[in-house]
Amino acid sequence: MAKTNLFWFRRDLRLHDNAGLFQALQSEFPVVPVFIFDTDILQELENKKDPRVSFIYSALQKVQGQLLEIGSTLDIRIGKPLQIWEQLIEAYDIHTVYTNHDYEPYAGERDRAIDKMLQARGVELRTFKDQVIFEKNEIVKDDGTHYSIYTPYAKKWRNALTPARIKPYPSLEIKDHFYKQPPKLFPTLQEVGFESPDIFPEPINDQVIQTYDRTRDIPSINGTTRFGVHLRFGTVSIRELLARALKNNQTFLGELIWREFFMQMLWKQPRLQQESCKQAYDRIRWRNKESEFLQWCRGETGYPIIDAGMRELNATGFMHNRVRMITASFLVKNLLIDWRWGEAYFAEKLLDYELASNNGNWQWVAGCGCDAAPYFRVFNPETQARRFDPEKRYIKKWVPEWDSPKYTRPIVDLDRSRERCLKVYKEALLTDKQALG
């Protein structure tokens, strides 16, 4: 077989404006595109109708269709990545493997193991920045240390942005450099171990970027972009999206910067996956009452805006951004349930789940994260509902029984639970201060 390079698709499921793919297609040897259904990840998904797997599958079908038009094909494998790469080395005469960076802790461990194995076989692994504008140590303080406060990070991020940073990679213009071979077997979703889902991601809403600052807090309308799942799996380019944000809405641009801020924090401190950024908050004595957690999960707390949000999540895989903050605050502050329980539930349910953002936002609400809301900030669900859903359109949609005897009684008193929260938080911080001497 002729010598080839391989491009490994991961969180970049597109042929257009793909940094690593562009570099591969510019190389000396033709490119074989590869995707691995990672069983180390898939086996953790209990729901065999998980719509995220179906979303990946549909994106791969689109890529495969484009490749077939030029006489190439995806090579899709199912299994543990290290073992799959051992198979690929036997199947192809590989010069170099190209891929894009992935910053999550699991991905880092996986890539280091594969790099070591490839090097032992005389194959180079080359990775590139694609899913962010700035990464790792590119936005740091003047002394070289990392930011832990968003505002100065965002200011430096904006000052460092140049047109070259958002210039697209014309990977589709050199698509003829893909390796030509007969179509490889494209596995069925069932062969991957999953079934067609009951829910599907909503389509991208491009126009909402223009009004995002005015509509993003109103849960009863489609006032947010729904770009999350597309960013998570790379069916849209961050450079393309940033260009739209710069042109149309600075508030939306700020959200994209928050995403990179949280990614930087997790990359720098992988411990944040399980630990509080402010470690004193790991001394909090959580109540962790399982019956109340289950009522929160089901949307049966007796607070309509909370229940509407949780029912929307369970039914659609999506929850409005403002309502995510309200439901998270209620779980952590009013019920005194460990933020990690809520973070894990969102990770299971959200179509747009991304570890860094989910983790960072939960810690922000809990008061224990980098640049978090102060611990004494407790969202009042009744006040929030009056402000952002005054006509109860959102509530009526998801909690039709809210104003009837059938509706659940409140499982906790807001004032007393807030006082309890402040007392427990203060005790934890005082205990930590005493422990430090």
Side-chain angles (χ1 to χ4, degrees):
M1 177 175 286
K3 190 167 286 292
T4 62
N5 290 326
L6 269 63
F7 178 75
W8 182 11
F9 282 102
R10 285 115 64 99
R11 294 184 52 172
D12 46 13
L13 304 181
R14 65 188 187 281
L15 296 186
H16 67 280
D17 191 11
N18 186 315
L21 180 59
F22 175 72
Q23 298 297 332
L25 291 171
Q26 283 193 309
S27 65
E28 178 182 358
F29 304 106
V31 176
V32 177
V34 170
F35 182 83
I36 300 171
F37 279 105
D38 185 343
T39 53
D40 285 334
I41 295 174
L42 297 180
Q43 67 187 4
E44 299 296 321
L45 302 179
E46 295 182 5
N47 179 14
K48 295 310 172 185
K49 290 187 177 182
D50 194 308
R52 291 169 294 191
V53 179
S54 180
F55 183 88
I56 293 170
Y57 189 82
S58 296
L60 291 172
Q61 287 179 313
K62 181 178 179 180
V63 170
Q64 176 72 336
Q66 293 174 299
L67 290 170
L68 292 177
E69 289 179 1
I70 57 172
S72 187
T73 181
L74 271 170
D75 191 331
I76 297 179
R77 307 283 175 119
I78 305 169
K80 295 179 178 293
L82 193 60
Q83 294 174 1
I84 295 298
W85 278 105
E86 290 172 346
Q87 296 173 14
L88 289 167
I89 285 176
E90 296 299 320
Y92 298 96
D93 183 5
I94 305 172
H95 182 269
T96 304
V97 174
Y98 290 79
T99 193
N100 288 312
H101 298 328
D102 193 334
Y103 308 99
E104 295 184 357
Y106 165 76
E109 294 176 6
R110 175 199 63 202
D111 290 356
R112 285 188 290 273
I114 290 171
D115 187 25
K116 182 178 179 181
M117 184 273 290
L118 291 174
Q119 284 189 41
R121 307 291 186 90
V123 177
E124 182 183 4
L125 175 65
R126 298 189 63 194
T127 68
F128 298 86
K129 177 179 65 175
D130 181 72
Q131 61 175 293
V132 293
I133 302 300
F134 295 104
E135 65 171 6
K136 300 180 179 179
N137 296 314
E138 290 185 329
I139 300 295
V140 293
K141 300 177 185 177
D142 291 342
D143 63 2
T145 59
H146 279 250
Y147 287 101
S148 59
I149 304 297
Y150 170 75
T151 300
Y153 171 86
K155 182 179 179 181
K156 196 158 191 176
W157 191 103
R158 289 172 184 264
N159 289 338
L161 187 65
T162 62
R165 292 281 184 178
I166 58 174
K167 184 179 179 181
Y169 292 91
S171 42
L172 274 178
E173 294 180 11
I174 42 180
K175 60 186 178 182
D176 288 341
H177 202 49
F178 280 108
Y179 184 75
K180 303 300 189 293
Q181 61 176 325
K184 291 281 187 180
L185 182 66
F186 200 100
T188 65
L189 192 57
Q190 288 71 30
E191 288 172 326
V192 178
F194 287 79
E195 303 173 36
S196 296
D198 298 319
I199 56 178
F200 300 89
E202 291 190 22
I204 287 177
N205 189 345
D206 258 342
Q207 276 135 8
V208 81
I209 293 178
Q210 296 178 3
T211 58
Y212 182 78
D213 56 316
R214 303 191 298 275
T215 61
R216 66 173 180 153
D217 282 323
I218 306 172
S220 61
I221 65 174
N222 290 326
T224 58
T225 66
R226 307 295 179 105
F227 274 117
V229 66
H230 297 275
L231 275 171
R232 175 67 178 89
F233 298 114
T235 54
V236 65
S237 156
I238 184 61
R239 291 166 293 279
E240 174 188 354
L241 194 52
L242 186 69
R244 297 184 208 172
L246 286 166
K247 181 180 178 181
N248 292 298
N249 202 290
Q250 291 297 307
T251 301
F252 181 63
L253 173 63
E255 296 301 306
L256 297 178
I257 301 174
W258 266 108
R259 172 179 173 268
E260 296 199 2
F261 176 67
F262 283 141
M263 281 188 168
Q264 173 216 257
M265 291 299 301
L266 184 62
W267 173 79
K268 183 65 177 177
Q269 301 184 68
R271 70 174 183 84
L272 298 183
Q273 187 170 356
Q274 292 297 330
E275 299 176 15
S276 297
C277 183
K278 298 175 182 177
Q279 292 177 296
Y281 287 74
D282 282 332
R283 293 182 179 273
I284 292 172
R285 297 177 64 181
W286 303 106
R287 289 174 67 246
N288 288 346
K289 192 171 181 180
E290 190 167 353
S291 60
E292 291 182 354
F293 177 68
L294 292 175
Q295 285 176 278
W296 176 84
C297 291
R298 293 192 298 260
E300 297 174 357
T301 68
Y303 290 97
I305 193 75
I306 303 294
D307 296 340
M310 298 308 296
R311 294 184 194 185
E312 180 187 26
L313 174 64
N314 293 332
T316 70
F318 176 81
M319 188 194 297
H320 185 272
N321 296 359
R322 165 63 56 174
V323 185
R324 294 187 197 197
M325 291 191 290
I326 304 169
T327 57
S329 176
F330 184 82
L331 181 76
V332 175
K333 303 287 181 67
N334 296 102
L335 299 184
L336 267 181
I337 290 176
D338 194 328
W339 62 268
R340 283 161 278 238
W341 288 33
E343 196 272 346
Y345 191 75
F346 274 26
E348 177 188 344
K349 295 291 183 178
L350 282 172
L351 290 173
D352 60 13
Y353 167 72
E354 185 170 62
L355 174 57
S357 294
N358 193 50
N359 179 285
N361 281 310
W362 270 95
Q363 292 210 37
W364 185 89
V365 169
C368 63
C370 56
D371 198 13
Y375 75 85
F376 48 80
R377 182 181 184 185
V378 182
F379 285 91
N380 183 308
E382 294 177 336
T383 302
Q384 292 286 310
R386 285 194 297 270
R387 181 176 178 186
F388 297 109
D389 191 31
E391 297 178 7
K392 296 183 171 55
R393 293 180 182 176
Y394 179 72
I395 287 171
K396 289 175 182 176
K397 178 178 180 179
W398 294 107
V399 191
E401 80 280 17
W402 75 275
D403 197 23
S404 76
K406 295 181 180 179
Y407 187 49
T408 308
R409 292 176 60 83
I411 63 174
V412 68
D413 178 88
L414 293 178
D415 291 334
R416 286 199 292 271
S417 61
R418 183 181 187 277
E419 291 173 4
R420 178 180 63 190
C421 165
L422 299 183
K423 179 174 182 292
V424 169
Y425 267 65
K426 286 178 182 177
E427 288 174 351
L429 298 181
L430 179 61
T431 301
D432 184 76
K433 187 175 180 180
Q434 293 172 339
L436 293 175

